[in-house]
Amino acid sequence: MNKSQRQIAVPSIGVHDIGWNERTFLEALLNGLSAPQKCIPCQFLYDPTGAQLFDQICDLPEYYLTRTETRILQSHAYDIARLIGPDAVIYELGSGSSVKTPILLDKLERPHAYVPIDVSRENLVASAAEIAAAYPNMRVEAVCGDYGAPQLLPEFDAAGRPVAFFPGSTIGNLTQRDAIALLRLWRAHLGSSGLMVIGADLKKDPALLNRAYNDEQGLTAQFIKNVLAHANANADADFDLDEFDYEAEYDPEIGAVRMHLVARSDQEVTIAGRAFYFARDERLHVEDSHKYSPEDFAEIAHAAGFSVARVYTDPRNLFSVQILRAAG
Ligand code: AVI
């Protein structure tokens, strides 16, 4: 057989779009900038540039979250796989580059399907294809959209448990109310045999938190500011990025690092023909990153109909991986 006759097996993946488009972004921008406290919801940080910047943040020395969670997962992957059992369907919420997924998949017995869910389509499809190539006996169904709509996901006829894998402490980017609402939706979707594996960043010395979100290289500032470039490119906006400063600080009252962009001068921004005014020093809220104590997190889990089956932490108690199962 010569080179051109040789068949190369390309593993196929399913790709599903569940209602995420730039119109959604435009609507969110118009709503957010019309509110008394101007805001842009943080899920819009992840255009291709934002997703790339976030991957770089994960490698920063100050950003302890990713490497700490990775080590916790590596240390306890066997135990987690035993709790999950064979033939599972693994949904990953906000899968990004799916870098932590193999830690779990490698230890699972005959995983039936992997369903990465993310809004950043390019990254989602490329990462899903890589997973499909590495695990050829497992179905891979990539879902482009919001992980807050589990009722729109493809269905599976699997003998094993449905499992929602939600690493990275992304749950911390939701308000506690929204976190409970999201967990409730997933509790309903997963049913009584379902499990959730969730990464949650822990409360700690504020100095360490402030360093993690104010890195020396300024990558976090670039990441947060990039949401304005995303709006300019895709939502007919004309933000001047040089006219905003990045600010991040831990607020002990709400237990979150709060991230804002602060207007450097009085200015007008136009979005799809509508004008919005910023006064000098006015703050545009972009993201909160909530930090939990294990007790706080258990409360949220209980309120959503889960019980906490395991909490794994690191020796410095920086981060936790929580295993939730249906309560009752
Ligand atoms: C995705 N999420 C958990 C990150 C965090 O730490 O809250 C997003 C981030 N924002 C700034 N740095 C990282």
Side-chain angles (χ1 to χ4, degrees):
M1 196 186 284
N2 68 33
K3 218 176 175 184
S4 61
Q5 289 170 313
R6 203 179 297 146
Q7 295 263 328
I8 300 168
V10 180
S12 68
I13 61 166
V15 181
H16 311 257
D17 286 283
I18 58 165
W20 179 268
N21 54 41
E22 294 304 341
R23 198 174 145 63
T24 320
F25 184 22
L26 175 59
E27 279 161 15
L29 264 180
L30 295 174
N31 283 337
L33 292 192
S34 307
Q37 160 64 74
K38 292 189 179 69
C39 64
I40 300 181
C42 64
Q43 68 263 38
F44 298 103
L45 289 166
Y46 299 90
D47 69 339
T49 309
Q52 219 173 33
L53 283 165
F54 181 64
D55 280 350
Q56 287 174 260
I57 288 172
C58 291
D59 290 333
L60 286 171
E62 296 96 332
Y63 197 75
Y64 61 85
L65 288 82
T66 313
R67 61 178 175 276
T68 310
E69 181 182 47
T70 301
R71 279 187 210 129
I72 297 172
L73 285 170
Q74 283 165 340
S75 304
H76 300 284
Y78 269 121
D79 194 25
I80 299 171
R82 219 174 324 114
L83 285 167
I84 292 174
D87 304 306
V89 174
I90 309 291
Y91 300 93
E92 183 168 352
L93 286 63
S95 51
S97 306
S98 295
V99 279
K100 292 167 197 152
T101 325
I103 304 173
L104 200 58
L105 292 180
D106 281 351
K107 300 290 183 284
L108 287 177
E109 192 181 338
R110 288 191 315 272
H112 178 81
Y114 172 58
V115 187
I117 309 163
D118 207 288
V119 294
S120 182
R121 200 173 199 284
E122 258 173 67
N123 203 21
L124 169 78
V125 174
S127 310
E130 274 179 34
I131 295 280
Y135 303 89
N137 297 323
M138 181 183 72
R139 262 178 80 182
V140 176
E141 302 290 336
V143 175
C144 183
D146 186 346
Y147 49 69
Q151 70 280 7
L152 301 178
L153 297 175
E155 302 217 340
F156 298 91
D157 188 16
R161 285 181 203 280
V163 176
F165 182 42
F166 194 19
S169 195
T170 306
I171 194 160
N173 298 130
L174 302 176
T175 62
Q176 294 178 10
R177 206 160 154 221
D178 288 349
I180 293 170
L182 178 73
L183 293 185
R184 270 206 192 119
L185 280 175
W186 277 91
R187 165 68 189 83
H189 182 70
L190 298 171
S192 55
S193 69
L195 285 181
M196 289 197 81
V197 179
I198 307 183
D201 197 16
L202 295 175
K203 286 204 162 113
K204 59 182 64 64
D205 179 359
L208 210 66
L209 289 169
N210 288 330
R211 265 206 299 279
Y213 292 85
N214 288 286
D215 64 279
E216 260 184 29
Q217 274 188 61
L219 277 179
T220 311
Q222 267 186 61
F223 169 63
I224 299 293
K225 264 195 185 186
N226 178 64
V227 80
L228 304 183
H230 183 195
N232 289 350
N234 296 291
D236 196 14
D238 63 357
F239 285 102
D240 181 346
L241 274 64
D242 292 332
E243 282 299 315
F244 288 87
D245 287 320
Y246 168 69
E247 186 189 273
E249 196 173 8
Y250 181 67
D251 179 342
E253 293 258 308
I254 64 156
V257 177
R258 313 209 75 189
M259 285 161 266
H260 291 92
L261 292 171
V262 186
R264 282 191 172 175
S265 59
D266 295 344
Q267 59 194 281
E268 181 184 306
V269 174
T270 309
I271 299 165
R274 273 181 61 183
F276 295 90
Y277 298 94
F278 282 87
R280 185 179 165 184
D281 293 331
E282 187 175 347
R283 295 154 105 215
L284 168 63
H285 179 254
V286 181
E287 188 175 49
D288 284 341
S289 192
H290 290 86
K291 311 302 169 188
Y292 289 102
S293 68
E295 297 75 26
D296 295 338
F297 201 83
E299 252 180 58
I300 281 187
H302 293 155
F306 284 104
S307 64
V308 180
R310 298 272 193 288
V311 181
Y312 304 106
T313 58
D314 55 290
R316 291 174 65 200
N317 269 314
L318 294 175
F319 199 92
S320 71
V321 172
Q322 312 257 347
I323 314 291
L324 310 186
R325 59 160 67 106

